[in-house]
Amino acid sequence: MARVARAWLLLLAISVVLPMWLSSTKVSSLIERISDPKDLKKLLRTRNNVLVLYSKSEAAAESHLRLLSTVAQAVKGQGTICWVDCGDAESRKLCKKMKVDLSPKDKKVELFHYQDGAFHTEYNRAVTFKSVVAFLKDPKGPPLWEEDPGAKDVVHVDSEKDFRRLLKKEEKPLLMMFYAPWCSMCKRIMPHFQKAATQLRGHFVLAGMNIYPSEFENIKEEYNVRGYPTICYFEKGRFLFQYDNYGSTAEDIVEWLKNPQPPQPQVPETPWADEGGSVYHLTDEDFDQFVKEHSSVLVMFHAPWCGHCKKMKPEFENAAEVLHGEADSSGVLAAVDATVNKALAERFHISEFPTLKYFKNGEKSAVPALRTKKNFIEWMRNPEAPPPPEPTWEEQQTSVLHLAGDNFRETLKKKKHTLVMFYAPWCPHCKKVIPHFTATADIFKDDRKGGLRAPQAESPNLTCLP
């Protein structure tokens, strides 16, 4: 009888404790648990960057919830994470409506991402803190370099502390690539760099570090990082010199590491303007007069160090020679060194090289992407009617007040609170933020104590000025 009583007590304890244990999964207050379809619909309507964890049961979600709790803190204000337990009777209808299938035995969870109120993609990247955070900060961006299986032999460094520790402890020679995720040259060389890392495993260490964020300014200054990628060679923690062959293959990198040598000093190039030819070279002083005197002018804004400019230069020169020899001239080709003639570069918002501008009877017109001799000649012989330019942000009727140098401080003095967005018209991140910034300004347009302002600057930078 006593044994029966103890058995009943044990069963009672299990029936009480087990549900308590299952419901004790620690979930951050920043993760919203949802079971009602209407609640999820409302969430997706009011949040534009949502990652939803669907789980077969509460127990199945436990490890993901631990990870996502830390992620939610890191992306607070930028993304939203919520959880739907499809094993819960109340939530089954919601999971079915969202077409979540967790019936396979090996499938315990699903991660779906929603953007601007609609399904965007199934999350299929590495389920790590760093990868999920990077995804939520840029859902349409590329995966992290370390997510590439081919990059398993590259040492991926995340912080300055880890970088210093690597220099201190690593005995083998180290080749470190400082890069930026958006850099096209970095993306081109990465497959070769990681292939070399595999070939040299055990003899050399090849490492990568994204130092684009502002927190790495000290490293940029210390190792003279002026562009991306910058590849530095170290021996026993001591920096020796940079590796400057950015057109390298894996074989080039392996061969160079057999006998590392500092970059050879380059012979100064002859300025394009001094080479002669049929291209007219314009300056801040003579530009306006030149485009007034010539009815059709295609201008290439360039920089002496720009590889794309050097590639386009002979095509541009050859096209200019053909046009110059025509009896009935279709127009002329001209060039401006934007690194010297900074007033023109600023005036025409030159932010990348090469940039083409077309002038018809002194007025600037739109020009398509031209790169070859044939394209230049065909365009000059028959310039297409350009589409009307889109109105600038300042020209649009919005509740945002646009500031300039002469009214900046005076305007801010009149407001108790002001959120200022420093931006550049060409900046893609700025273009992405502008609609949201403008919509917010509409909400506060009648608030006399504060407002939203937008002076032009070099990059997006939101600053609250009390």
Side-chain angles (χ1 to χ4, degrees), residues 227-424:
Y228 302 104
T230 294
I231 303 178
C232 296
Y233 178 71
F234 298 83
E235 287 185 359
K236 294 185 177 180
R238 186 167 64 93
F239 169 63
L240 296 185
F241 35 76
Q242 290 187 0
Y243 175 79
D244 66 346
N245 184 6
Y246 297 117
S248 294
T249 63
E251 290 69 29
D252 294 329
I253 298 171
V254 171
E255 190 64 30
W256 184 84
L257 283 171
K258 291 178 181 178
N259 183 27
Q261 295 292 325
Q264 297 300 311
Q266 295 182 348
V267 178
E269 295 183 20
T270 303
W272 189 6
D274 296 339
E275 294 179 8
S278 301
V279 173
Y280 294 88
H281 294 274
L282 308 181
T283 66
D284 288 335
E285 290 72 30
D286 63 14
F287 182 89
D288 289 330
Q289 187 62 34
F290 184 88
V291 296
K292 283 181 181 178
E293 293 174 353
H294 296 79
S295 61
S296 179
V297 186
L298 182 64
V299 183
M300 171 180 167
F301 289 85
H302 67 97
W305 45 261
C306 165
H308 295 294
C309 304
K310 292 175 183 177
K311 187 175 180 180
M312 183 190 287
K313 178 179 158 184
E315 301 284 333
F316 203 71
E317 279 279 11
N318 292 336
E321 189 173 345
V322 171
L323 294 171
H324 188 71
E326 291 182 344
D328 184 15
S329 177
S330 301
V332 297
L333 304 189
V336 173
D337 184 343
T339 65
V340 175
N341 302 284
K342 295 182 179 179
L344 283 172
E346 183 176 350
R347 174 177 160 191
F348 293 110
H349 306 296
I350 306 301
S351 59
E352 57 184 27
F353 305 107
T355 293
L356 296 173
K357 300 289 183 182
Y358 179 67
F359 296 84
K360 184 71 174 178
N361 298 320
E363 297 295 326
K364 182 169 70 71
S365 300
V367 58
L370 307 173
R371 287 292 181 270
T372 66
K373 169 186 171 181
K374 182 181 178 182
N375 293 154
F376 295 134
I377 294 172
E378 289 178 350
W379 165 260
M380 294 300 289
R381 286 175 177 168
N382 183 28
E384 299 175 5
E390 294 184 7
T392 63
W393 193 14
E394 300 98 305
E395 294 170 340
Q396 298 174 29
Q397 295 296 319
T398 71
S399 301
V400 175
L401 179 61
H402 294 270
L403 305 179
D406 54 354
N407 69 348
F408 185 86
R409 295 187 181 280
E410 193 62 33
T411 303
L412 294 182
K413 287 179 182 178
K414 299 176 182 178
K415 298 291 184 179
K416 186 176 180 180
H417 301 289
T418 307
L419 185 66
V420 181
M421 174 177 169
F422 294 90
Y423 75 101

Side-chain angles (χ1 to χ4, degrees), residues 417-436:
H417 301 289
T418 307
L419 185 66
V420 181
M421 174 177 169
F422 294 90
Y423 75 101
W426 48 263
C427 164
H429 299 292
C430 307
K431 292 176 181 177
K432 188 176 180 181
V433 171
I434 282 174
H436 304 290

